[in-house]
Amino acid sequence: MRVYVPLTLPGLAEAHQTGELGSGPFLAYAVTPALREWYLSDDIEELEYAALGRAALASLRLLAADRAAARRRVVVAVDVPDGACAVDPDRGLDPAALGQVTVTVTVPLAKAAAVHVDADDAEADVTAAADALEAAEGGDDDARFVVDGADDHELLWYATQEIPNLVGKA
């Protein structure tokens, strides 16, 4: 199962240093039954893109909590065994939990397929989105518009060999 792990650049630097994305349990995002129902598509590439987007939003939450982190969303795509993930059935279609899974095993960074990171030119919009996130999740439509502005920036794809260069920017 492909999962998308939300991080920040300092989080990616730590994973690079330790060699682990996380030692379970930790949250990630994947194509879950609830995400399929919400997204209304059978196209696996579209569904995986939606899971990546959910992880990017979770990365934004991490940025909102860590004011010192570089204002760039980071998501690591990694394949884990199917049995290594659990979905909380009680959260079902909870909008905050769509696509959310709990990875229950240790995941070596070496298993990562790719890293997705905002370009430098996204920093102003990502900063504004991180600052507005709490208000947006509280129902403020203007703040929601600001948060959605971060989604105007596509996350760039990086090979895992490029992680040392990426964490140099942390």
Side-chain angles (χ1 to χ4, degrees):
M1 168 183 261
R2 167 88 24 117
V3 299
Y4 298 90
V5 181
L7 294 174
T8 60
L9 281 174
L12 182 61
E14 181 180 337
H16 178 65
Q17 182 179 12
T18 64
E20 293 180 354
L21 273 174
S23 54
F26 62 92
L27 292 180
Y29 292 80
V31 177
T32 63
L35 184 75
R36 282 180 188 275
E37 187 175 328
W38 171 74
Y39 198 74
L40 299 173
S41 174
D42 289 330
D43 184 321
I44 191 64
E45 288 182 14
E46 287 182 14
L47 290 164
E48 286 183 349
Y49 186 76
L52 172 65
R54 303 297 297 168
L57 179 59
S59 176
L60 189 63
R61 286 188 189 104
L62 295 173
L63 290 173
D66 183 358
R67 311 272 307 148
R71 311 323 276 172
R72 295 171 71 193
R73 299 168 297 168
V74 177
V75 176
V76 178
V78 62
D79 293 319
V80 298
D82 288 341
C85 293
V87 177
D88 184 350
D90 294 334
R91 297 211 52 202
L93 292 176
D94 175 357
L98 285 171
Q100 194 176 82
V101 296
T102 301
V103 179
T104 58
V105 299
T106 299
V107 178
L109 183 60
K111 295 282 187 182
V115 180
H116 304 271
V117 181
D118 276 309
D120 292 339
D121 68 353
E123 287 189 37
D125 287 337
V126 171
T127 299
D131 292 344
L133 188 61
E134 185 176 347
E137 291 182 338
D140 183 322
D141 288 336
D142 292 334
R144 179 82 248 161
F145 181 78
V146 172
V147 170
D148 289 345
D151 288 337
D152 291 341
H153 298 276
E154 294 286 331
L155 295 177
L156 301 179
W157 181 94
Y158 292 91
T160 56
Q161 298 88 330
E162 297 177 274
I163 291 173
N165 293 331
L166 289 169
V167 299
K169 297 179 179 184

